[in-house]
Amino acid sequence: MNREQLQKDFFPAEIMLQLVKQEIPLSDKIKLINSYLDKVRDSYDAEVLKIKQHNQLAHIYWMSEHYEEAIAHFEIVVENMEAEDYPSLYSLALNLLIRCNRLLSNYQEAEKYATLAFASFDTFHPFKKLNILTDYADLIADSGKIFDENYISIIQATIDELGFPEKLDDPIETIRSMSKRNQVWNRKLSDWTIKYRESDLDERKRELVQYIDSCEIGWYKDYALNTLEILQNKKAQG
């Protein structure tokens, strides 16, 4: 496996824009993916091309709510790579395998992929861990099963890694509270980033200071502090 190739952006921006447009038929998107792969086939490792192809097909099926087809392609992705090959791609594939199977009430299959995801947790970014925990909590709620106590320590580890204020009590409610809080502060930071070019440097700094003062999640606070330091250095340099 050529990990360097696997971890690089693969599809050009203009193709990705076409793939997310709802008005373009699914069949045309599939042709677009396969056509591009044919053009670059001689320049890439065969294993990498296989993963890239099935991962992208899985995502367009997922976005079109063709969950069974999405599952089939995501399964090929996880079967042909290890978590260490590309942790973010691998974790997202597992994440959506849990979710797709849950939405189809394939609870046993969903639990199988949750188990696989938890086995590779040390490889994943903490926010990827939160996403998987969130889908696992939804799976437990929908299936009526008991939350596996072996995973409770993972919740606390994720709280600690990301600096959440939550106190671990009921595991499902704790995960849902973390997920909701994350959405709030992620959106606030995203909104600031979008407005970044629309205001002057001093205004950007004031807004970022306000975000830092009120942010409830340590990871975002630290990220914002680092960004503020960059802005201050930029101003000092003129």
Side-chain angles (χ1 to χ4, degrees):
M1 174 73 71
N2 188 322
R3 288 184 177 178
E4 183 179 358
Q5 287 186 349
L6 182 64
Q7 294 176 14
K8 285 184 177 180
D9 290 338
F10 182 73
F11 290 98
E14 58 269 22
I15 290 181
M16 295 303 298
L17 287 172
Q18 296 298 308
L19 295 177
V20 299
K21 290 182 178 179
Q22 294 184 347
E23 64 270 21
I24 295 180
L26 184 58
S27 59
D28 289 349
K29 293 180 180 180
I30 294 170
K31 290 177 183 177
L32 190 61
I33 292 170
N34 293 332
S35 175
Y36 180 73
L37 261 81
D38 287 339
K39 290 180 181 178
V40 300
R41 193 169 300 279
D42 293 339
S43 303
Y44 283 86
D45 181 276
E47 290 178 300
V48 170
L49 284 177
K50 185 174 185 178
I51 292 170
K52 293 289 191 181
Q53 178 183 33
H54 287 284
N55 183 63
Q56 198 58 58
L57 289 170
H59 278 284
I60 65 170
Y61 278 121
W62 157 252
M63 291 187 293
S64 300
E65 299 183 0
H66 288 68
Y67 301 134
E68 290 185 356
E69 291 87 346
I71 287 169
H73 289 286
F74 277 130
E75 286 178 337
I76 293 172
V77 171
V78 300
E79 288 168 1
N80 284 274
M81 63 182 294
E82 302 294 333
E84 294 80 5
D85 291 332
Y86 194 171
S88 61
L89 186 152
Y90 188 78
S91 65
L92 182 55
L94 288 173
N95 203 163
L96 292 178
L97 278 167
I98 298 167
R99 193 178 306 179
C100 287
N101 277 293
R102 175 181 64 81
L103 290 169
L104 294 173
S105 300
N106 298 333
Y107 299 134
Q108 189 171 350
E109 282 293 294
E111 192 164 358
K112 179 182 77 173
Y113 288 111
T115 300
L116 186 57
F118 287 128
S120 301
F121 243 42
D122 290 344
T123 312
F124 303 150
H125 188 281
F127 281 118
K128 299 296 184 181
K129 297 178 184 180
L130 177 59
N131 291 340
I132 291 170
L133 282 168
T134 300
D135 275 293
Y136 179 69
D138 290 340
L139 169 61
I140 294 301
D142 285 3
S143 66
K145 294 186 177 182
I146 302 299
F147 197 101
D148 191 328
E149 292 186 358
N150 292 319
Y151 303 145
I152 292 178
S153 61
I154 293 176
I155 304 173
Q156 186 60 58
T158 305
I159 290 172
D160 295 340
E161 283 183 283
L162 292 173
F164 275 88
E166 271 73 12
K167 302 299 181 183
L168 179 53
D169 188 9
D170 176 87
I172 292 179
E173 292 306 314
T174 301
I175 291 169
R176 286 180 171 171
S177 176
M178 292 167 66
S179 180
K180 184 177 180 179
R181 194 184 305 278
N182 179 59
Q183 289 173 5
V184 170
W185 292 103
N186 180 279
R187 174 54 63 89
K188 287 178 182 289
L189 187 60
S190 296
D191 288 345
W192 179 86
T193 303
I194 290 171
K195 294 192 300 182
Y196 180 86
R197 297 178 181 178
E198 299 177 1
S199 55
D200 62 30
L201 184 59
D202 288 336
E203 180 62 23
R204 282 176 259 165
K205 287 171 56 181
R206 282 194 295 270
E207 291 176 353
L208 198 55
V209 168
Q210 291 174 357
Y211 179 90
I212 292 166
D213 289 342
S214 58
C215 185
E216 301 171 307
I217 301 175
W219 190 95
Y220 288 119
K221 186 185 288 285
D222 290 342
Y223 180 89
L225 281 166
N226 289 334
T227 303
L228 180 62
E229 183 178 353
I230 291 170
L231 291 179
Q232 289 172 334
N233 290 338
K234 184 176 180 180
K235 182 177 182 179
Q237 294 171 1

